[in-house]
Amino acid sequence: MKKNSLEVDQKNNPFINVLFGAVIAISMIHILAIIASLILLPISRLVAVSILLISLGVSAVVVTILSQRSPKLSIGTKTNFMFTSILVIAICLIYLFLCFLAIISPDLSWDGNAYHIPPIAMWAQEKAIHWIETPYMEPLMNGYPKGGELTAFIWVIALGNSVLNTFNLLILPLGILGIASITRSFGAKIPTALFAGLCYMLIPVNLNQMTTTYVDAAFASSAIAMIAIWLYIIQKKPNSYLLALTYGAAIGLAISIKSTGVALGGLSIVILLIFILFDIYAGKRSPKFTPYIVREKLFLLLSIILGALLVGGYWYIRNLIYTGSPLYPVGLIAFGKVIFPGLSVSEAIHAIGNTPEKIRAFPDSLKVLFAWLQDISNWPTSIR
């Protein structure tokens, strides 16, 4: 009997466990750095290196536990093995070349020099992640989540200023592994899945941002990792609190880098909840159904939320305490009532000034399409 795509994922997806490890490693960097700052432990080089080593250790333990029930990896034919080996080598070589470029290249981006690098420098002066008292672009110094900058901060303190622009490369593997895992889960062969991951790596905007402190590529990679783990859970329906926490951590990484991760993560949880409710409804017809099953599903859902809050919740709680809005400098108005004080999204992103004049009159849906196509009328210049 021919195996369907879901069975392929369950039996032989070599990327998902590595993705678990990468998510946990970066998540632990966030958690430990925030804890150190909250308990007023100065983040010296020794502390930063310790954070990195502990994060790798926890990651290894989690991967070992989650992979215990995984079947033995089988790449298949010698041809598949050859293509897989070639692709792995290609990815590693391109990755190392990008690391080299990031180390020798200064960040020439406006955003990086204006408000991504300054918080890292100010944290480094105080050896802690803290609320920055400054007249210089204060809403951008403190507002919005700063998970990307946190990763760069620990990386720089541990290894020196020369690695500042490489922090995107720490998070890029989440996207490569996530794309490969998603592709594999729908039945693609391992070399094909790896090739898809390589294609993600070579997207022009990714290559462009790998030598800067922009956080858009980092957010995309964390969002892809979240979707890959979400899909894995939807397919396998495992009853594992550790896996639920890992999925929550992936959501936490996304929301810690950009606030738009809240919408994406929230939507994934809502869809997962719908699947859980359907499972419970279908399970009630089984004689083996017990109230314990409902409680277990509820605790799994709470574990996901806990993981997200542990990794990404700090920024929103801090901003709520300091400014009254977890989305600072953005606020929230619902049904004409101010829920959180602050700017509208349009004001915060300077929508009018940042929108090309020729599309300002377009409906929002067409503006999105125009931006996604990167001004198709000017291809290929606009996509370089």
Side-chain angles (χ1 to χ4, degrees):
M1 183 177 177
K2 188 178 180 179
K3 295 180 177 64
N4 60 35
S5 61
L6 298 188
E7 289 172 331
V8 169
D9 170 75
Q10 292 176 10
K11 292 187 177 299
N12 191 14
N13 186 345
F15 310 107
I16 195 69
N17 286 329
V18 185
L19 179 60
F20 293 154
V23 166
I24 291 298
I26 299 174
S27 297
M28 286 303 302
I29 292 173
H30 286 225
I31 292 171
L32 293 175
I34 290 170
I35 289 175
S37 297
L38 290 176
I39 65 174
L40 304 181
L41 174 65
I43 301 180
S44 61
R45 173 163 292 184
L46 177 60
V47 172
V49 171
S50 299
I51 287 174
L52 293 176
L53 292 176
I54 293 171
S55 299
L56 288 174
V58 173
S59 171
V61 171
V62 171
V63 169
T64 300
I65 295 172
L66 291 177
S67 62
Q68 283 178 345
R69 296 181 181 179
S70 298
K72 186 177 179 180
L73 173 62
S74 175
I75 293 179
T77 66
K78 289 184 178 180
T79 302
N80 280 351
F81 179 78
M82 181 183 69
F83 281 128
T84 300
S85 300
I86 291 172
L87 285 168
V88 169
I89 292 171
I91 288 172
C92 291
L93 289 176
I94 294 171
Y95 186 85
L96 290 174
F97 180 66
L98 289 173
C99 288
F100 172 73
L101 287 180
I103 289 172
I104 67 171
S105 303
D107 185 354
L108 300 178
S109 67
W110 190 92
D111 290 23
N113 288 282
Y115 58 85
H116 289 308
I117 294 175
I120 299 170
M122 293 177 190
W123 293 344
Q125 286 182 338
E126 299 294 329
K127 296 184 177 181
I129 297 161
H130 62 94
W131 187 268
I132 299 170
E133 299 292 344
T134 177
Y136 171 72
M137 301 181 72
E138 186 277 328
L140 295 177
M141 295 298 102
N142 293 309
Y144 305 113
K146 293 283 188 287
E149 290 85 348
L150 181 154
T151 306
F153 167 62
I154 296 299
W155 193 235
V156 165
I157 296 298
L159 299 179
N161 292 333
S162 60
V163 300
L164 173 62
N165 292 343
T166 66
F167 95 90
N168 270 304
L169 288 158
L170 291 178
I171 305 177
L172 179 65
L174 298 184
I176 297 172
L177 292 166
I179 290 292
S181 179
I182 292 169
T183 308
R184 178 64 178 159
S185 72
F186 285 111
K189 293 181 178 180
I190 291 176
T192 305
L194 261 179
F195 182 72
L198 176 61
C199 288
Y200 170 76
M201 186 181 188
L202 297 177
I203 291 174
V205 70
N206 280 341
L207 294 176
N208 180 61
Q209 292 196 3
M210 288 306 109
T211 58
T212 73
T213 51
Y214 274 113
V215 298
D216 306 271
F219 171 72
S221 292
S222 62
I224 289 169
M226 180 195 74
I227 293 169
I229 298 175
W230 170 83
L231 182 60
Y232 179 82
I233 291 175
I234 291 291
Q235 290 181 333
K236 289 200 67 174
K237 302 176 185 178
N239 294 324
S240 167
Y241 293 111
L242 187 55
L243 179 55
L245 284 170
T246 303
Y247 169 47
I251 295 175
L253 286 178
I255 69 174
S256 77
I257 297 174
K258 275 187 173 289
S259 300
T260 44
V262 175
L264 188 60
L267 178 61
S268 73
I269 291 177
V270 169
I271 296 174
L272 182 61
L273 177 60
I274 293 172
F275 274 89
I276 289 174
L277 292 175
F278 272 115
D279 283 345
I280 292 174
Y281 177 76
K284 284 184 177 181
R285 301 178 182 180
S286 170
K288 296 181 180 180
F289 179 83
T290 65
Y292 171 78
I293 295 177
V294 178
R295 290 197 299 271
E296 184 180 49
K297 298 291 185 183
L298 175 61
F299 287 142
L300 285 170
L301 189 63
L302 292 176
S303 297
I304 293 170
I305 296 172
L306 175 62
L309 290 175
L310 285 173
V311 178
Y314 166 79
W315 307 104
Y316 299 88
I317 296 171
R318 184 190 76 158
N319 285 351
L320 178 63
I321 292 172
Y322 274 89
T323 70
S325 173
L327 304 173
Y328 177 75
V330 176
L332 179 65
I333 298 177
F335 304 106
K337 183 178 180 181
V338 176
I339 309 300
F340 299 119
L343 303 173
S344 67
V345 173
S346 296
E347 291 172 327
I349 65 173
H350 307 289
I352 295 177
N354 287 327
T355 303
E357 186 175 355
K358 63 181 176 181
I359 68 167
R360 286 179 186 172
F362 287 10
D364 288 342
S365 57
L366 287 183
K367 289 178 183 176
V368 171
L369 181 61
F370 180 90
W372 185 76
L373 291 173
Q374 298 189 49
D375 187 5
I376 192 171
S377 63
N378 286 324
W379 279 14
T381 303
S382 63
I383 61 174
R384 287 175 181 170

